Amino acid sequence: MADLVARFRDVFGDSGPVRVVRAPGRVNLIGEHTDYSGGFVMPMALDRAVRIALVPHDEPVVAIRSVQFDERAEFRLPSYGKGDGSILCEAPGGPFRPFDNAQGRPEVLEGRQNTPVPFSDAPHWLRYPMKVAEVLAEEGIVLRGFRAVVDGDVPVGSGLSSSAAYEVASALALLVAARPDVPAGLAAALAEAHGLSAERLAELCQEAEHRVGVRCGIMDQFVSLHGRAGHALVLDCRDLSFEAVPLPAREAKVVVTDSGVKRRLSSGAYNERRRQCEEGAERLREFDPAIRELRDVSLALFEARADRLPEIIRRRCRHVVTENARVLESAEALKAGDLARFGELMNASHDSLRDDYEVSGPELDLLVEIARGVGGVMGSRLTGAGFGGCTVTLARPEAVEPLRAAVLEHYPRRAGLEPRIWVSEAAAGAAVEV
Ligand code: ADP
Ligand code: MG
C-alpha cells in the first residue's frame, strides 16, 4: 500500500506526477436494521482504505491495474464518442503490456482492438468505476481518462464495505483526473470544485452500486466520505443530517471479528422484517397520525401501545424503537466521554437483535459471549445485517491482545471456523492524498 506510486511507475513506466486518492471502509457501531425505518445509525470510518494512484491522459479511456485481483482492464468513458460505456478488457491472468508512453495511447490486446465487451463480461471489480463514471457523466461532469493502479486493505466481502470504499475512491479518481488543478485535501473540496456537495457525491456512489446490482442504503458511501478521525458519526437516515461524536483512540479500540459464516440474510428474511416494521408502523398510526414509519414512534408511545400489536410484530418493532433510542443515547454517552455506557448500549443492541429481531446466529452469539468475558471489553455486538458476517467490539487498548487471544483460543474449537480479526480506530473520511 505504501508503495502505490512506485507500483504505478512499475506498471505503467510513467515518470510524471502521480495523484493518489483514498476512501475508507466502515463499520457500524450501533443502530442496526433501523435505516429502512428512517432511523439512526452510528458508523465510523476504518483506518483501512481503498487507494488509487493515477495519471490523467488524453485518451477517453480509464485503464486500471488491480493489485488485489492481479488483472488489468480498461473501459471507454461514457461521455466520449459513442457513449455506450463499452469496455475493452485484458483477458484475466493474461499478459500485461505497458502503455506506449510516447503516444500516450492505452495498450489493447491483439484481436480485441476496439471490440467492446458487454458489461456482463467485464471483470466484476471494473464494474464499480464503470458505473461511477456513468453516473458522474449523467450528472454533467466532463470526465477525462486516466491510467491507474488500485490497491486496498479493506477486506473484500467481509461486510466492511470495500465496495463503497472503492466506489468513493473511483469517484475521487475520476474527479481529480478531470480537475488536476484541485490540490490534495478532503473529498468535499474536490466535489465542490465540480459543483457537487459531498452528500450528492455519496448518493451518486450509491446509485453506482445499485447499477452494479446491489440495492444498498446510503450509509456506507456516506461515512466513507464524511468520516472523521477519532469520531463516529450519528447519521439520521431520514434526512442524512449527521453529527460527529468523539471516540478517542487512546481510550478505546474497535475490534471487528469475522465469524467466517457467510452472511446469509436471505432477501426473504430481510423483506419479511421490512414488512413487519411497516405493519407495526401502520398499526401504531392509529394512536398518532403523524407516524409515517417506526422512526416516528417514541419509546413512550410504544410502551403504552405495544399490547395492541401481534406478538411477532411487537418484538420486531421493539427492536427498532429501542435501537433508535440506543443510538441517540450512545451519542450522548460519547459526548460525555462515557465509553462504559456506550459499551452497555452495544451489548443491549446485540441482545435485542438476537431476541427480538432474530437476526443473530450461534456463531455471532458465541463471538459476543467470548468478547464479553474479557476484562477491559466494554461492549460487543453483531454488526451488519446479521445471520453471519462480523461482530464489533469496543475494547480498552490494553484489552485488545487478551481479546484476540480469547477469540483464537475458543472460537475455532467451539464453532469449527477460523475467525479473522481487524483492530481499527475511528479514521478520517475520503481524501485526495497527493
Ligand atoms: P464488501 O462487503 O466488502 O463491500 P462486496 O461484495 O459488496 O463486499 O464488494 C466487494 C467487491 O468490491 C469485490 O469483489 C470487488 O469487485 C470490489 N472491490 C473491493 N475492493 C477492491 C479493491 N481494492 N480493488 C478492486 N476491487 C475491489
Ligand atoms: Mg459491499
Side-chain angles (χ1 to χ4, degrees):
M1 280 284 279
D3 269 337
L4 199 59
V5 172
R7 186 89 187 217
F8 179 91
R9 297 204 194 288
D10 200 35
V11 169
F12 292 104
D14 199 317
S15 59
V18 179
R19 305 301 298 269
V20 180
V21 298
R22 79 180 276 285
R26 65 91 188 97
V27 65
N28 192 25
L29 295 169
I30 193 165
E32 217 66 74
H33 286 283
T34 49
D35 55 339
Y36 46 85
S37 294
F40 300 95
V41 294
M42 193 196 276
M44 66 168 216
L46 296 170
D47 53 17
R48 293 174 164 267
V50 172
R51 290 170 82 222
I52 299 179
L54 67 132
V55 170
H57 57 206
D58 290 331
E59 291 282 329
V61 165
V62 171
I64 308 180
R65 172 90 202 173
S66 158
V67 174
Q68 254 84 51
F69 296 98
D70 196 20
E71 269 183 299
R72 193 192 108 185
E74 53 197 54
F75 64 93
R76 187 162 287 275
L77 285 171
S79 62
Y80 285 79
K82 291 181 288 183
D84 60 357
S86 56
I87 68 153
L88 301 166
C89 62
E90 184 181 358
F96 171 70
R97 290 190 288 160
F99 277 45
D100 177 347
N101 288 317
Q103 293 169 42
R105 286 166 53 78
E107 186 74 34
V108 286
L109 282 188
E110 265 169 52
R112 287 215 178 211
Q113 201 138 8
N114 298 323
T115 311
V117 174
F119 182 73
S120 55
D121 285 355
H124 59 91
W125 60 269
L126 191 68
R127 299 177 189 188
Y128 295 89
M130 285 179 76
K131 288 300 173 189
V132 171
E134 188 177 283
V135 296
L136 287 174
E138 285 173 15
E139 191 75 1
I141 290 168
V142 179
L143 299 174
R144 194 170 164 216
F146 59 82
R147 55 196 95 163
V149 173
V150 57
D151 196 2
D153 58 4
V154 187
V156 166
S158 281
L160 301 182
S161 219
S162 69
S163 58
Y166 185 31
E167 286 143 22
V168 172
S170 299
L172 297 191
L174 285 155
L175 294 178
V176 89
R179 284 289 302 272
D181 57 308
V182 177
L186 285 180
L190 175 61
E192 212 162 281
H194 285 276
L196 288 174
S197 66
E199 284 76 9
R200 181 69 190 139
L201 190 56
E203 282 173 359
L204 293 172
C205 290
Q206 177 197 23
E207 173 62 22
E209 178 138 357
H210 288 180
R211 292 187 190 185
V212 170
V214 183
R215 299 284 316 167
C216 59
I218 184 96
M219 174 175 84
D220 305 354
Q221 292 80 6
F222 195 92
V223 65
S224 183
L225 273 161
H226 287 280
R228 189 162 143 202
H231 290 75
L233 301 186
V234 193
L235 173 63
D236 182 333
C237 295
R238 178 171 279 174
D239 64 7
L240 296 188
S241 59
F242 72 101
E243 188 184 7
V245 291
L247 187 59
R250 61 179 185 284
E251 286 173 46
K253 300 285 181 201
V254 171
V255 182
V256 177
T257 308
D258 189 338
S259 65
V261 180
K262 271 261 158 260
R263 283 168 289 156
R264 40 174 194 225
L265 180 65
S266 66
S267 56
Y270 178 79
N271 290 336
E272 181 186 39
R273 280 166 184 70
R274 281 189 84 130
R275 225 179 17 253
Q276 289 164 334
C277 289
E278 282 162 20
E279 182 182 336
E282 199 168 302
R283 285 174 182 266
L284 292 169
R285 196 171 301 138
E286 186 190 329
F287 308 106
D288 179 356
I291 292 170
R292 283 197 278 148
E293 47 193 346
L294 284 180
R295 145 70 182 271
D296 303 309
V297 177
S298 69
L299 208 48
L301 182 129
F302 178 77
E303 276 161 8
R305 305 296 185 182
D307 59 344
R308 304 290 285 272
L309 299 173
E311 197 264 344
I312 190 150
I313 306 287
R314 185 190 321 144
R315 285 193 291 120
R316 301 296 189 249
C317 292
R318 185 164 59 203
H319 167 70
V320 176
V321 172
T322 58
E323 184 79 350
N324 278 328
R326 278 187 290 271
V327 176
L328 297 179
E329 195 187 337
S330 295
E332 293 314 311
L334 287 178
K335 284 189 227 171
D338 191 349
L339 288 163
R341 177 65 190 145
F342 178 43
E344 289 169 10
L345 291 161
M346 289 174 73
N347 286 340
S349 167
H350 181 83
D351 298 352
S352 173
L353 287 159
R354 180 191 61 209
D355 302 334
D356 278 348
Y357 220 63
E358 295 181 282
V359 291
S360 189
E363 298 86 359
L364 293 170
D365 290 344
L366 176 60
L367 280 176
V368 162
E369 178 200 318
I370 293 168
R372 288 180 189 175
V374 176
V377 165
M378 292 176 277
S380 187
R381 57 180 289 276
L382 74 84
T383 184
F387 290 115
C390 297
T391 62
V392 59
T393 302
L394 188 74
R396 299 278 176 207
E398 62 277 12
V400 168
E401 287 317 311
L403 170 63
R404 190 198 301 275
V407 169
L408 292 177
E409 184 188 341
H410 300 294
Y411 185 73
R413 188 169 45 79
R414 291 176 59 186
L417 290 163
E418 285 306 318
R420 290 192 298 164
I421 301 170
W422 301 284
V423 183
S424 187
E425 35 195 73
V432 180
E433 287 189 328
V434 180

